[in-house]
Amino acid sequence: LDLPLMADVERAEVLLWLGDGVFDMRNQRTLRALIKVLRAAGVDFAVLGNEERDSGDVARRLGDEATFQSLARRNIATLSRYRFESIVTCDPHSFHVLKNEYGALYPQGQDADYPVWHHSTFINQLIESGRLPLAPGQAQRVTYHDPCYLGRYNGEYEAPRAVLRALGVELVEMQRSGYRSRCCGGGGGAPITDVPGKQRIPDMRMGDVRETQAEQVVVGCPQCTAMLEGVVPPAGNEATAVKDIAEMVAAALDNTPPATPASHDAAASQATEEVLS
């Protein structure tokens, strides 16, 4: 995608934190959709590339505090070399540690003076500010699954739903949604540990989805995507499509190219036009 590197540009409006999901072929589709959205909105962004290390979230959840702190301090040292207005990520786990847990590890006298946004919140800001042109509404009947580390841990329930309303879809809530949402089974290191039980958590969650009779379930987390897409539907039932909210927005983009900020160079402008075409 010819993404701009912070090492080359040194400053940007947004530092796009890709997360460890960048190595997963399914989540690469989400990231491509998010990049398409950022370019359509004329957002000046850059990535760390090979300088980005694992955020350390899984290590901390599994109790490996030494590894978490080692990864966090190295990431903090990298972030401190560059100038950006905010960090945006599509991974609620990275979002949580960057926003809430890295601050305690900054050197004395140095603070994390930038906001960290989950991509659903940032996309909603782009829509509300008129920077993101959207085509007329979509007709799908969808339900939304709240990621634990976005909703339960950080209280963000409204922004993803506001984005879906802006898309014109029919939003049908599951019985367990919002602060009562059921986990997908992918948090806390659960996918790489043996959790005893008669039924897998993602199977239970997809049962909640089927009760809504929605055509697809919209998510905002690479782990939620992996867990829910891994559920085999009961005999006689078709699999419910799982889409990240960035994929929904990317599919609804207006084909009229927006004005590109002056801070973008000619190469970025050409890349934006290629994506929109």
Side-chain angles (χ1 to χ4, degrees), residues 112-147:
D113 58 351
Y114 47 80
V116 183
W117 303 110
H118 183 255
H119 71 313
S120 64
T121 307
F122 190 72
I123 289 173
N124 188 46
Q125 292 173 358
L126 294 175
I127 293 173
E128 290 183 339
S129 63
R131 295 179 63 180
L132 192 61
L134 296 177
Q138 303 178 43
Q140 293 102 320
R141 177 184 174 93
V142 307
T143 190
Y144 173 70
H145 166 74
D146 291 276

Side-chain angles (χ1 to χ4, degrees), residues 21-196:
V22 75
F23 296 104
D24 175 68
M25 293 184 67
R26 171 60 183 90
N27 192 56
Q28 287 172 12
R29 302 208 313 259
T30 295
L31 289 169
R32 287 176 180 272
L34 177 57
I35 289 163
K36 178 178 179 179
V37 170
L38 296 178
R39 284 177 165 162
V43 176
D44 174 31
F45 73 95
V47 299
L48 291 174
N50 290 334
E51 291 188 288
E52 180 184 315
R53 296 178 177 85
D54 186 285
S55 68
D57 168 75
V58 174
R60 172 162 271 193
R61 303 308 153 223
L62 291 175
D64 187 356
E65 183 66 16
T67 296
F68 166 74
Q69 291 199 19
S70 174
L71 289 167
R73 293 184 194 279
R74 294 169 75 185
N75 279 324
I76 287 170
T78 300
L79 294 173
S80 299
R81 291 200 296 269
Y82 302 117
R83 297 293 174 263
F84 45 88
E85 297 177 17
S86 62
I87 294 178
V88 173
T89 180
C90 67
D91 180 6
H93 299 262
S94 296
F95 163 73
H96 178 72
V97 293
L98 288 167
K99 179 177 184 290
N100 300 312
E101 299 183 354
Y102 271 30
L105 299 176
Y106 269 76
Q108 188 173 3
Q110 183 180 349
D111 296 319
D113 58 351
Y114 47 80
V116 183
W117 303 110
H118 183 255
H119 71 313
S120 64
T121 307
F122 190 72
I123 289 173
N124 188 46
Q125 292 173 358
L126 294 175
I127 293 173
E128 290 183 339
S129 63
R131 295 179 63 180
L132 192 61
L134 296 177
Q138 303 178 43
Q140 293 102 320
R141 177 184 174 93
V142 307
T143 190
Y144 173 70
H145 166 74
D146 291 276
C148 292
Y149 279 83
L150 181 64
R152 186 174 294 117
Y153 280 83
N154 287 281
E156 179 61 275
Y157 302 106
E158 176 55 27
R161 290 170 169 82
V163 172
L164 293 175
R165 287 195 294 269
L167 295 177
V169 299
E170 180 187 357
L171 177 61
V172 184
E173 295 285 3
M174 285 177 271
Q175 185 175 1
R176 292 190 60 169
S177 62
Y179 72 93
R180 296 185 64 252
S181 180
R182 193 194 304 269
C183 177
C184 75
I192 52 176
T193 57
D194 292 322
V195 181

